[in-house]
Amino acid sequence: MRNESEIPFEDNPFKIPVADRLKRLPPYLFGKINKLKYQKRVAGIDVIDLGMGNPTDAPDPLIIEKMTEALQDPRNHRYSVANGIYNLRKEVSARYFKKYGVRLDPNDEVIACIGSKEGFSHMCLALMGPGDTAIVPAPSFPIHVYSVVLASGNVIALDVRDPAKFLSNVAYTCEHLFPKPKVVLVNFPHNPSSTCIEQDFYVELVKLAKKYGFLVISDFAYADVCYEGYKAPSFLATPGALDVGCEFTTMSKGYSMAGWRIGFCCGNKEMVRALATIKGYYDYGIFQAIQIAAIVAMRHSEAAVESMAVEYQQRRDVLVSGLQRLGWEVEAPKAGMFLWAKIPEPYAKMGSIDFAMKLLDEGGVAVSPGRGFGPEGEGYLRLAIVENSQRLRQAVRAIAKCTKQEPVAVGT
Ligand SMILES: Cc1ncc(COP(=O)(O)O)c(C=O)c1O
């Protein structure tokens, strides 16, 4: 267990008197790697970029066509509505019913966000303040920790790689912490570890939420990227979930619309209302042409989403088998866009940041060091399967060369 409130206040790194909340943010651990990646690119050196879950494939042409058409209508260039237009919220509600059997009222149980990250951050701002504590999964996707920190809340990060143990640690923390945690954040399929769960996990979580009085936020960003028949469960499909929590989904991953910035928060009416209140002050909603194209995407592009998941599965298999042949310890995830790989033994002592720098510097392959996801991530790398299979094979060859690891048949 780690307590992020113990992060020391840094001396002000700015030349102006910024707010204390900014000083609570630690140095950005991906900074060194991003700088080297940028320098290589500027020098015209090819980098195979497995650093971020940022899809490289274009969305379904149908979505782009609708967007192009919507751009021609002057009405779509005005401010939209902060909550998202009604037909978009209705479509989100229809999709939840079709996919998960969950009934949501588009009026007060669905809100559109400028990407789920924006929605999540503002939800934390709406719910958390000084003295409030959130439990978040560890290793941690940075925004899960820092949106709580920016809202002046405290963070308790619990290892999520054994989900049953995570639940018992949540219960233990609730028994022993005073005041009790206000929010528990979950994220399955998990970024970065790709840990997955079944619905019974959420049944237990709802029970705990009711017993200890915390709110649940489920980050369901990788809902649409599942493999070999695995269907990631929605938190909202759990009986009682709407009483205690909400769920964020996004069009960034499954629909390859990351740059469009569109996601959703659905669930508990009061949580949705709290987010809507903050958003009402902060923004005027997503560009309306994007909202219209997103409606069409949800209505007509399900097949494209499914075939993209099959593509990711093939990439997963290429990278997993390639790395296993080099002797790496890495499992094929059931869902999500990441491999969570243990640093191979000869390099384990080097630490994940230096090893990732070596792969980038000598091999031209960018990956994320596990340490960037908190101390629990040390000893691991996160590799995003966002490049095509040919580029992934090329990445394995480059890694083999710069680590001087000979490919062997798996199982020998
Ligand atoms: C777990 C998780 N949540 C949220 C996001 C952000 O998604 P969006 O593009 O909807 O802001 C990401 C993106 O990498 C993610 O991995």
Side-chain angles (χ1 to χ4, degrees):
M1 185 193 291
R2 96 177 179 264
N3 189 342
E4 290 289 342
S5 59
E6 287 164 8
I7 292 173
F9 276 58
E10 295 250 320
D11 285 343
N12 182 3
F14 297 89
K15 293 189 177 66
I16 51 166
V18 295
D20 279 351
R21 73 175 66 84
L22 228 59
K23 298 181 214 158
R24 290 184 79 192
L25 298 175
Y28 189 53
L29 280 173
F30 299 114
K32 222 164 101 177
I33 290 185
N34 287 345
K35 191 171 166 199
L36 180 59
K37 193 157 72 178
Y38 175 77
Q39 285 166 346
K40 282 194 173 265
R41 289 224 168 99
V42 168
I45 299 166
D46 179 34
V47 173
I48 303 175
D49 194 354
L50 314 182
M52 246 182 115
N54 190 1
T56 53
D57 304 84
D60 189 353
L62 209 85
I63 306 170
I64 297 173
E65 260 167 50
K66 189 67 197 180
M67 175 73 176
T68 315
E69 183 196 312
L71 280 173
Q72 309 307 319
D73 186 340
R75 286 174 304 177
N76 293 333
H77 293 262
R78 306 180 64 212
Y79 291 130
S80 189
V81 273
N83 289 2
I85 54 178
Y86 178 74
N87 281 345
L88 175 66
R89 287 181 278 123
K90 202 169 96 188
E91 205 56 45
V92 173
S93 155
R95 189 166 188 261
Y96 252 104
F97 183 67
K98 198 165 145 210
K99 270 198 94 167
Y100 306 108
V102 176
R103 285 190 190 281
L104 294 168
D105 184 339
N107 288 308
D108 47 16
E109 291 176 331
V110 180
I111 180 170
C113 315
I114 309 169
S116 62
K117 195 170 171 180
E118 177 273 321
F120 175 76
S121 312
H122 283 142
M123 180 63 89
C124 288
L125 203 57
L127 301 179
M128 309 286 301
D132 292 331
T133 299
I135 292 178
V136 309
S140 312
F141 178 53
I143 195 65
H144 291 162
V145 172
Y146 295 108
S147 48
V148 177
V149 169
L150 283 169
S152 305
N154 300 319
V155 171
I156 292 181
L158 297 178
D159 203 319
V160 84
R161 288 167 289 188
D162 177 344
K165 205 162 163 207
F166 175 83
L167 283 174
S168 61
N169 284 335
V170 168
Y172 182 89
T173 308
C174 291
E175 284 291 341
H176 293 89
L177 192 74
F178 187 82
K180 295 195 186 311
K182 192 172 190 183
V183 168
V184 173
L185 168 74
V186 286
N187 165 223
F188 298 105
H190 180 233
N191 176 10
S193 72
S194 290
T195 305
C196 291
I197 40 103
E198 300 295 341
Q199 200 83 48
D200 57 351
F201 175 95
Y202 290 135
V203 172
E204 207 47 48
L205 187 64
V206 169
K207 263 193 221 157
L208 293 178
K210 292 198 170 184
K211 180 169 176 190
Y212 295 111
F214 58 75
L215 297 168
V216 175
I217 302 177
S218 161
D219 178 346
F220 201 23
Y222 297 94
D224 300 321
V225 192
C226 298
Y227 312 128
E228 290 166 319
Y230 172 71
K231 187 177 170 205
S234 160
F235 163 71
L236 296 184
T238 318
L242 287 167
D243 300 334
V244 295
C246 67
E247 184 159 84
F248 284 90
T249 50
T250 178
M251 306 207 65
S252 294
K253 312 294 178 175
Y255 289 88
S256 306
M257 291 167 69
W260 297 50
R261 311 310 300 132
I262 180 157
F264 310 101
C265 174
C266 301
N268 181 273
K269 284 184 182 151
E270 288 306 299
M271 290 175 86
V272 168
R273 189 157 75 95
L275 176 58
T277 304
I278 288 253
K279 283 175 68 63
Y281 282 94
Y282 274 165
D283 73 69
Y284 285 121
I286 304 154
F287 181 31
Q288 199 152 284
I290 292 178
Q291 299 189 51
I292 291 167
I295 294 172
V296 167
M298 280 185 275
R299 266 187 211 155
H300 302 295
S301 294
E302 209 51 40
V305 172
E306 281 164 20
S307 70
M308 211 45 236
V310 172
E311 169 66 25
Y312 283 122
Q313 185 181 318
Q314 285 161 359
R315 293 176 188 178
R316 173 200 72 166
D317 293 342
V318 166
L319 196 55
V320 167
S321 61
L323 293 174
Q324 284 179 344
R325 275 200 303 278
L326 302 185
W328 288 41
E329 240 179 81
V330 54
E331 275 178 35
K334 281 201 259 184
M337 285 164 60
F338 305 107
L339 303 192
W340 184 242
K342 210 164 177 188
I343 299 178
E345 200 34 63
Y347 297 96
K349 281 199 208 79
M350 206 171 177
S352 61
I353 295 180
D354 287 347
F355 187 56
M357 284 294 280
K358 177 183 168 68
L359 295 184
L360 177 57
D361 196 21
E362 298 169 26
V365 180
V367 302
S368 292
R371 183 64 183 85
F373 305 99
E376 296 82 1
E378 189 47 278
Y380 289 82
L381 298 178
R382 191 197 71 176
L383 297 91
I385 46 179
V386 289
E387 298 248 24
N388 67 35
S389 293
Q390 193 198 332
R391 296 270 288 166
L392 293 175
R393 284 191 198 93
Q394 197 183 325
V396 172
R397 284 196 296 274
I399 291 172
K401 204 167 158 200
C402 86
T403 57
K404 300 186 177 58
Q405 291 173 302
E406 292 294 326
V408 291
V410 178
T412 59

